[in-house]
């Protein structure tokens, strides 16, 4: 069964079809390394493909997240 594709075909292939149901994915990295930007690219791509998305951010409120998503 195929998962939710990423905006990056090579990553989707490495994940054997994309993000899978019932899995939790965590992005980690140094400060200012682009973690939120990358996560929001995944979110925006999944939403464009018609998938539902749940995003938790410990750093941004819902308005800030929404503003960043629509700017992508």
């Amino acid at each position: 069964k195929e998962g939710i594709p990423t905006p990056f075909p090579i990553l989707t292939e490495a994940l054997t079809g994309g993000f899978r149901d019932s899995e939790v994915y965590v992005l980690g990295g140094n400060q200012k390394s682009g973690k939120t930007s990358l996560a929001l690219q995944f979110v925006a791509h999944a939403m464009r493909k018609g998938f539902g998305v749940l995003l938790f951010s410990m750093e941004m409120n819902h308005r800030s997240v929404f503003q960043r998503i629509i700017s992508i």
Side-chain angles (χ1 to χ4, degrees):
K1 179 180 170 184
E2 291 291 314
I4 299 171
T6 75
F8 311 105
I10 293 172
L11 179 58
T12 300
E13 184 178 327
L15 293 170
T16 61
F19 297 118
R20 303 288 180 173
D21 287 346
S22 303
E23 295 288 331
V24 175
Y25 296 89
V26 178
L27 294 175
N30 294 329
Q31 293 177 336
K32 305 290 183 186
S33 63
K35 299 177 297 290
T36 300
S37 179
L38 180 61
L40 294 179
Q41 288 181 50
F42 292 148
V43 167
H45 187 74
M47 290 170 55
R48 284 187 201 110
K49 296 287 185 179
F51 293 97
V53 176
L54 177 63
L55 172 75
F56 290 98
S57 174
M58 302 301 287
E59 299 172 344
M60 300 170 65
N61 64 31
H62 68 282
R63 287 190 176 113
S64 297
V65 170
F66 181 73
Q67 288 174 340
R68 296 259 322 251
I69 288 174
I70 62 174
S71 71
I72 294 176

Coordinates of all heavy atoms in Angstrom, one line a residue:
K1 N 0.8 -1.2 0.0 CA 0.0 0.0 0.0 C 0.9 1.2 0.0 O 1.8 1.3 0.8 CB -0.9 0.0 1.2 CG -1.8 1.2 1.3 CD -2.6 1.1 2.6 CE -3.4 2.4 2.8 NZ -4.1 2.4 4.0
E2 N 0.6 2.2 -0.8 CA 1.3 3.4 -0.9 C 1.0 4.3 0.3 O -0.1 4.3 0.8 CB 1.0 4.2 -2.2 CG 1.5 3.5 -3.5 CD 3.0 3.5 -3.6 OE1 3.6 4.6 -3.4 OE2 3.6 2.5 -3.9
G3 N 2.0 5.1 0.7 CA 1.8 6.1 1.8 C 1.5 7.4 1.2 O 1.2 7.6 0.0
I4 N 1.6 8.5 2.0 CA 1.4 9.8 1.6 C 2.7 10.3 1.0 O 3.8 10.3 1.7 CB 1.0 10.7 2.8 CG1 -0.3 10.3 3.4 CG2 1.0 12.2 2.4 CD1 -0.6 10.9 4.7
P5 N 2.7 10.7 -0.3 CA 4.0 11.1 -0.9 C 4.5 12.4 -0.3 O 3.8 13.3 0.2 CB 3.6 11.3 -2.4 CG 2.1 11.6 -2.3 CD 1.6 10.9 -1.1
T6 N 5.9 12.5 -0.4 CA 6.5 13.8 0.0 C 6.7 14.6 -1.2 O 6.5 14.1 -2.4 CB 7.9 13.5 0.6 OG1 8.8 13.1 -0.4 CG2 7.9 12.4 1.7
P7 N 7.1 15.9 -1.1 CA 7.3 16.7 -2.3 C 8.6 16.3 -3.0 O 9.0 16.9 -4.0 CB 7.4 18.1 -1.7 CG 7.4 18.1 -0.2 CD 7.1 16.7 0.1
F8 N 9.4 15.4 -2.4 CA 10.7 15.0 -2.9 C 10.6 13.5 -3.3 O 10.6 12.6 -2.5 CB 11.7 15.2 -1.9 CG 11.7 16.6 -1.2 CD1 11.2 16.7 0.1 CD2 12.1 17.7 -1.9 CE1 11.1 18.0 0.6 CE2 12.0 18.9 -1.4 CZ 11.5 19.1 -0.1
P9 N 10.6 13.2 -4.7 CA 10.4 11.8 -5.1 C 11.5 10.9 -4.6 O 11.1 9.7 -4.2 CB 10.5 12.0 -6.6 CG 10.1 13.4 -6.9 CD 10.6 14.2 -5.8
I10 N 12.7 11.3 -4.4 CA 13.7 10.4 -3.9 C 13.4 10.0 -2.4 O 13.6 8.9 -2.1 CB 15.1 11.1 -4.0 CG1 15.5 11.2 -5.5 CG2 16.2 10.3 -3.3 CD1 16.8 12.0 -5.7
L11 N 13.0 11.0 -1.6 CA 12.6 10.7 -0.3 C 11.4 9.8 -0.2 O 11.3 8.8 0.6 CB 12.3 12.0 0.5 CG 11.9 11.8 2.0 CD1 13.0 11.0 2.8 CD2 11.7 13.1 2.6
T12 N 10.4 10.0 -1.1 CA 9.2 9.2 -1.1 C 9.6 7.7 -1.4 O 9.1 6.8 -0.8 CB 8.2 9.7 -2.2 OG1 7.8 11.0 -1.8 CG2 7.0 8.8 -2.2
E13 N 10.5 7.6 -2.4 CA 11.0 6.2 -2.7 C 11.8 5.6 -1.5 O 11.6 4.4 -1.2 CB 11.9 6.3 -3.9 CG 12.4 5.0 -4.4 CD 13.3 5.1 -5.7 OE1 13.0 6.0 -6.5 OE2 14.2 4.3 -5.8
A14 N 12.6 6.4 -0.9 CA 13.4 5.9 0.3 C 12.4 5.4 1.4 O 12.8 4.5 2.2 CB 14.4 6.9 0.8
L15 N 11.3 6.1 1.5 CA 10.3 5.7 2.5 C 9.4 4.6 2.0 O 8.4 4.3 2.6 CB 9.5 6.9 2.9 CG 10.2 8.1 3.7 CD1 9.3 9.3 3.8 CD2 10.6 7.6 5.1
T16 N 9.8 4.0 0.9 CA 9.0 2.9 0.3 C 7.6 3.3 0.0 O 6.6 2.6 0.3 CB 9.1 1.6 1.0 OG1 8.5 1.8 2.3 CG2 10.5 1.1 1.1
G17 N 7.4 4.5 -0.6 CA 6.0 5.0 -1.0 C 5.5 6.2 -0.2 O 4.4 6.6 -0.5
G18 N 6.3 6.7 0.7 CA 5.8 7.8 1.5 C 5.6 7.6 2.9 O 5.9 6.5 3.5
F19 N 4.9 8.5 3.6 CA 4.6 8.4 5.0 C 3.4 7.4 5.2 O 2.5 7.4 4.4 CB 4.1 9.8 5.6 CG 5.2 10.8 5.5 CD1 5.1 12.0 4.8 CD2 6.4 10.7 6.2 CE1 6.0 12.9 4.7 CE2 7.4 11.6 6.2 CZ 7.2 12.8 5.4
R20 N 3.6 6.5 6.1 CA 2.6 5.5 6.3 C 1.6 5.8 7.4 O 1.9 6.5 8.4 CB 3.3 4.2 6.7 CG 4.3 3.7 5.7 CD 3.6 3.2 4.5 NE 4.6 2.7 3.6 CZ 4.3 2.1 2.5 NH1 3.1 1.9 2.2 NH2 5.3 1.8 1.6
D21 N 0.4 5.2 7.3 CA -0.6 5.3 8.4 C -0.1 4.7 9.7 O 0.7 3.8 9.6 CB -1.9 4.5 8.0 CG -2.7 5.2 6.9 OD1 -2.5 6.4 6.6 OD2 -3.6 4.5 6.3
S22 N -0.5 5.3 10.8 CA -0.2 4.8 12.1 C 1.3 4.9 12.5 O 1.8 4.3 13.4 CB -0.6 3.3 12.3 OG -2.0 3.2 12.0
E23 N 2.0 5.7 11.7 CA 3.5 6.0 12.0 C 3.6 7.4 12.5 O 2.8 8.3 12.2 CB 4.3 5.8 10.8 CG 4.4 4.4 10.3 CD 5.1 3.4 11.2 OE1 6.1 3.9 11.8 OE2 4.8 2.2 11.2
V24 N 4.6 7.6 13.4 CA 4.9 9.0 13.8 C 6.3 9.3 13.3 O 7.2 8.5 13.4 CB 4.9 9.0 15.4 CG1 5.4 10.4 15.9 CG2 3.6 8.7 15.9
Y25 N 6.4 10.5 12.7 CA 7.7 10.9 12.1 C 8.1 12.2 12.9 O 7.3 13.1 13.1 CB 7.5 11.2 10.6 CG 7.1 10.0 9.8 CD1 5.8 9.7 9.6 CD2 8.1 9.2 9.3 CE1 5.4 8.5 8.9 CE2 7.8 8.0 8.6 CZ 6.4 7.7 8.4 OH 6.1 6.6 7.7
V26 N 9.4 12.2 13.3 CA 10.0 13.3 14.0 C 11.1 13.9 13.2 O 12.0 13.1 12.8 CB 10.4 12.8 15.4 CG1 11.1 14.0 16.2 CG2 9.3 12.2 16.2
L27 N 11.1 15.2 13.1 CA 12.3 15.9 12.4 C 13.2 16.5 13.5 O 12.7 17.1 14.4 CB 11.8 17.0 11.5 CG 11.0 16.7 10.3 CD1 10.5 17.9 9.6 CD2 11.9 15.8 9.4
G28 N 14.4 16.2 13.5 CA 15.4 16.7 14.4 C 16.5 17.4 13.7 O 16.9 17.1 12.6
G29 N 17.1 18.4 14.4 CA 18.2 19.1 13.8 C 18.6 20.3 14.7 O 17.9 20.6 15.7
N30 N 19.6 21.0 14.3 CA 20.1 22.2 15.0 C 19.1 23.3 14.9 O 18.3 23.3 13.9 CB 21.5 22.6 14.5 CG 22.5 21.5 14.9 OD1 22.4 20.9 15.9 ND2 23.5 21.4 14.0
Q31 N 19.3 24.3 15.7 CA 18.5 25.6 15.6 C 18.7 26.2 14.2 O 19.9 26.2 13.7 CB 18.9 26.6 16.7 CG 18.5 26.1 18.0 CD 19.0 27.1 19.1 OE1 19.9 27.9 18.9 NE2 18.3 27.1 20.2
K32 N 17.7 26.7 13.6 CA 17.7 27.5 12.4 C 18.2 26.6 11.2 O 18.8 27.1 10.2 CB 18.7 28.7 12.5 CG 18.3 29.7 13.6 CD 17.0 30.4 13.2 CE 16.7 31.4 14.3 NZ 15.5 32.0 14.1
S33 N 18.0 25.3 11.3 CA 18.4 24.4 10.2 C 17.3 24.1 9.2 O 17.5 23.3 8.3 CB 18.9 23.1 10.8 OG 17.9 22.4 11.5
G34 N 16.1 24.6 9.4 CA 15.0 24.5 8.5 C 14.0 23.4 8.8 O 13.3 22.9 7.9
K35 N 14.0 22.9 10.0 CA 13.0 21.8 10.4 C 11.6 22.2 10.2 O 10.8 21.4 9.6 CB 13.2 21.4 11.9 CG 14.6 20.9 12.2 CD 14.7 20.6 13.7 CE 14.5 21.8 14.6 NZ 15.6 22.8 14.5
T36 N 11.2 23.4 10.6 CA 9.8 23.8 10.5 C 9.5 24.0 9.0 O 8.4 23.6 8.5 CB 9.5 25.1 11.3 OG1 9.8 24.8 12.7 CG2 8.1 25.6 11.1
S37 N 10.4 24.6 8.3 CA 10.1 24.8 6.8 C 9.9 23.5 6.1 O 9.0 23.3 5.3 CB 11.3 25.6 6.2 OG 11.1 25.8 4.9
L38 N 10.8 22.5 6.4 CA 10.6 21.2 5.8 C 9.3 20.5 6.2 O 8.6 20.0 5.3 CB 11.8 20.3 6.2 CG 11.9 18.9 5.6 CD1 11.9 18.9 4.1 CD2 13.0 18.1 6.2
A39 N 9.0 20.6 7.5 CA 7.8 20.0 7.9 C 6.5 20.6 7.2 O 5.6 19.9 6.8 CB 7.6 20.1 9.4
L40 N 6.6 21.9 7.1 CA 5.4 22.6 6.5 C 5.4 22.3 5.0 O 4.3 22.3 4.4 CB 5.5 24.1 6.7 CG 5.3 24.5 8.2 CD1 5.4 26.0 8.4 CD2 4.0 23.9 8.8
Q41 N 6.5 22.0 4.3 CA 6.5 21.6 2.9 C 5.8 20.2 2.8 O 5.0 20.0 1.9 CB 7.9 21.5 2.4 CG 8.5 22.9 2.1 CD 9.9 22.8 1.6 OE1 10.1 22.1 0.6 NE2 10.8 23.5 2.2
F42 N 6.1 19.3 3.8 CA 5.4 18.0 3.8 C 3.9 18.2 4.0 O 3.1 17.6 3.3 CB 5.9 17.1 4.9 CG 7.4 16.7 4.8 CD1 8.2 16.5 5.9 CD2 7.9 16.4 3.5 CE1 9.5 16.0 5.7 CE2 9.2 16.0 3.4 CZ 10.0 15.8 4.5
V43 N 3.5 19.1 4.9 CA 2.1 19.4 5.2 C 1.4 19.9 4.0 O 0.3 19.4 3.6 CB 2.0 20.3 6.4 CG1 0.6 20.9 6.6 CG2 2.4 19.6 7.7
A44 N 2.0 20.9 3.4 CA 1.3 21.6 2.3 C 1.2 20.6 1.1 O 0.1 20.6 0.4 CB 2.1 22.8 1.8
H45 N 2.2 19.8 0.9 CA 2.1 18.8 -0.2 C 1.0 17.8 0.0 O 0.2 17.5 -0.9 CB 3.5 18.2 -0.4 CG 3.6 17.3 -1.6 ND1 3.7 17.8 -2.9 CD2 3.6 15.9 -1.7 CE1 3.7 16.7 -3.7 NE2 3.7 15.6 -3.0
A46 N 1.0 17.3 1.2 CA 0.0 16.3 1.6 C -1.4 16.9 1.4 O -2.4 16.2 0.9 CB 0.2 15.7 3.0
M47 N -1.6 18.1 1.9 CA -2.9 18.8 1.8 C -3.3 19.0 0.3 O -4.5 18.8 0.0 CB -2.9 20.1 2.6 CG -2.9 19.9 4.1 SD -2.6 21.4 5.0 CE -3.8 22.5 4.5
R48 N -2.4 19.3 -0.5 CA -2.7 19.5 -1.9 C -3.1 18.2 -2.6 O -3.9 18.2 -3.5 CB -1.5 20.1 -2.7 CG -1.2 21.5 -2.5 CD -0.1 22.0 -3.3 NE 0.4 23.2 -2.8 CZ 1.6 23.4 -2.2 NH1 2.5 22.4 -2.2 NH2 2.0 24.5 -1.7
K49 N -2.6 17.1 -2.1 CA -2.9 15.8 -2.6 C -4.2 15.2 -2.0 O -4.7 14.1 -2.3 CB -1.8 14.8 -2.3 CG -0.5 15.1 -3.0 CD -0.6 14.8 -4.5 CE 0.7 15.0 -5.2 NZ 0.7 14.7 -6.6
G50 N -4.9 16.0 -1.0 CA -6.1 15.6 -0.5 C -6.1 14.8 0.8 O -7.1 14.3 1.2
F51 N -4.9 14.7 1.4 CA -4.7 14.0 2.7 C -5.0 15.0 3.9 O -4.7 16.1 3.8 CB -3.3 13.4 2.8 CG -3.1 12.3 1.8 CD1 -2.4 12.6 0.6 CD2 -3.5 11.0 2.0 CE1 -2.1 11.6 -0.3 CE2 -3.2 10.0 1.1 CZ -2.5 10.3 -0.1
G52 N -5.5 14.4 4.9 CA -5.6 15.2 6.2 C -4.3 15.2 6.9 O -3.5 14.2 6.8
V53 N -4.0 16.2 7.6 CA -2.7 16.4 8.3 C -2.9 16.9 9.7 O -3.8 17.7 9.9 CB -1.8 17.4 7.5 CG1 -0.5 17.6 8.3 CG2 -1.6 16.9 6.1
L54 N -2.1 16.4 10.6 CA -2.1 16.9 12.0 C -0.7 17.3 12.3 O 0.2 16.5 12.2 CB -2.6 15.8 13.0 CG -2.5 16.1 14.5 CD1 -3.5 17.3 14.8 CD2 -2.9 14.9 15.3
L55 N -0.5 18.5 12.7 CA 0.8 19.1 13.0 C 0.9 19.6 14.4 O 0.0 20.4 14.8 CB 1.2 20.2 12.0 CG 2.4 21.0 12.2 CD1 3.6 20.1 11.8 CD2 2.4 22.3 11.5
F56 N 1.9 19.2 15.1 CA 2.2 19.7 16.4 C 3.4 20.6 16.4 O 4.4 20.2 15.8 CB 2.4 18.6 17.5 CG 1.2 17.9 17.8 CD1 0.9 16.6 17.2 CD2 0.2 18.4 18.7 CE1 -0.2 15.9 17.5 CE2 -0.9 17.6 19.1 CZ -1.1 16.4 18.4
S57 N 3.4 21.8 16.9 CA 4.5 22.7 17.0 C 4.6 23.2 18.4 O 3.7 23.7 18.9 CB 4.4 23.9 16.0 OG 5.5 24.7 16.2
M58 N 5.8 23.0 19.0 CA 6.1 23.5 20.3 C 6.6 24.9 20.3 O 6.7 25.5 21.3 CB 7.1 22.6 21.0 CG 6.7 21.1 21.1 SD 5.1 20.9 22.0 CE 5.7 21.2 23.6
E59 N 6.8 25.5 19.1 CA 7.4 26.8 19.0 C 6.5 27.8 18.4 O 6.7 29.0 18.6 CB 8.6 26.7 18.1 CG 9.7 25.8 18.7 CD 10.9 25.6 17.7 OE1 10.7 25.9 16.5 OE2 11.9 25.1 18.1
M60 N 5.4 27.4 17.7 CA 4.6 28.4 16.9 C 3.1 28.1 17.3 O 2.7 27.0 17.4 CB 4.8 28.2 15.4 CG 6.2 28.4 14.9 SD 6.4 27.9 13.2 CE 5.3 29.0 12.4
N61 N 2.4 29.2 17.4 CA 0.9 29.1 17.6 C 0.2 28.8 16.3 O 0.9 28.8 15.2 CB 0.3 30.3 18.3 CG 0.4 31.6 17.5 OD1 0.4 31.5 16.2 ND2 0.6 32.7 18.1
H62 N -1.1 28.5 16.3 CA -1.8 28.1 15.1 C -1.8 29.2 14.0 O -1.7 28.8 12.8 CB -3.2 27.6 15.4 CG -4.1 28.7 15.9 ND1 -4.1 29.2 17.2 CD2 -5.1 29.4 15.2 CE1 -5.0 30.2 17.3 NE2 -5.6 30.3 16.1
R63 N -1.8 30.4 14.4 CA -1.8 31.5 13.4 C -0.5 31.6 12.7 O -0.4 31.7 11.4 CB -2.2 32.8 14.0 CG -3.6 32.9 14.4 CD -4.0 34.4 14.8 NE -5.4 34.4 15.0 CZ -6.0 34.6 16.2 NH1 -5.2 34.8 17.3 NH2 -7.3 34.7 16.4
S64 N 0.6 31.4 13.4 CA 1.9 31.5 12.8 C 2.1 30.3 11.8 O 2.7 30.5 10.8 CB 3.0 31.5 13.9 OG 2.9 32.6 14.7
V65 N 1.7 29.1 12.3 CA 1.8 27.9 11.4 C 1.0 28.2 10.1 O 1.5 27.9 9.0 CB 1.3 26.7 12.1 CG1 1.2 25.5 11.2 CG2 2.2 26.3 13.3
F66 N -0.2 28.7 10.2 CA -1.1 28.9 9.1 C -0.4 29.9 8.1 O -0.4 29.7 6.9 CB -2.5 29.4 9.5 CG -3.4 29.6 8.3 CD1 -3.9 28.6 7.6 CD2 -3.7 30.9 7.9 CE1 -4.8 28.8 6.6 CE2 -4.5 31.1 6.9 CZ -5.1 30.0 6.2
Q67 N 0.1 31.0 8.7 CA 0.8 32.0 7.8 C 2.0 31.4 7.1 O 2.2 31.7 5.9 CB 1.2 33.2 8.7 CG 0.0 34.0 9.1 CD 0.4 35.2 10.1 OE1 1.5 35.1 10.7 NE2 -0.4 36.2 10.2
R68 N 2.7 30.6 7.8 CA 3.9 30.0 7.1 C 3.4 29.0 6.0 O 4.1 28.9 5.0 CB 4.8 29.2 8.1 CG 5.4 30.1 9.2 CD 6.8 30.5 9.0 NE 7.8 29.5 8.5 CZ 8.8 28.9 9.2 NH1 8.9 29.2 10.5 NH2 9.6 28.2 8.6
I69 N 2.4 28.2 6.3 CA 1.9 27.3 5.2 C 1.4 28.0 4.0 O 1.8 27.6 2.9 CB 0.7 26.4 5.8 CG1 1.3 25.4 6.8 CG2 0.0 25.7 4.7 CD1 0.3 24.6 7.5
I70 N 0.7 29.1 4.1 CA 0.2 29.8 3.0 C 1.3 30.6 2.2 O 1.1 30.9 1.1 CB -1.0 30.7 3.3 CG1 -0.7 31.8 4.2 CG2 -2.2 29.9 3.8 CD1 -1.7 32.8 4.5
S71 N 2.4 30.8 2.9 CA 3.5 31.4 2.2 C 4.4 30.5 1.4 O 5.2 30.9 0.6 CB 4.4 32.2 3.2 OG 5.1 31.3 4.0
I72 N 4.1 29.2 1.5 CA 4.9 28.2 0.8 C 4.4 28.1 -0.6 O 3.3 28.0 -0.9 CB 4.9 26.8 1.5 CG1 5.6 26.9 2.8 CG2 5.5 25.7 0.6 CD1 5.6 25.7 3.6

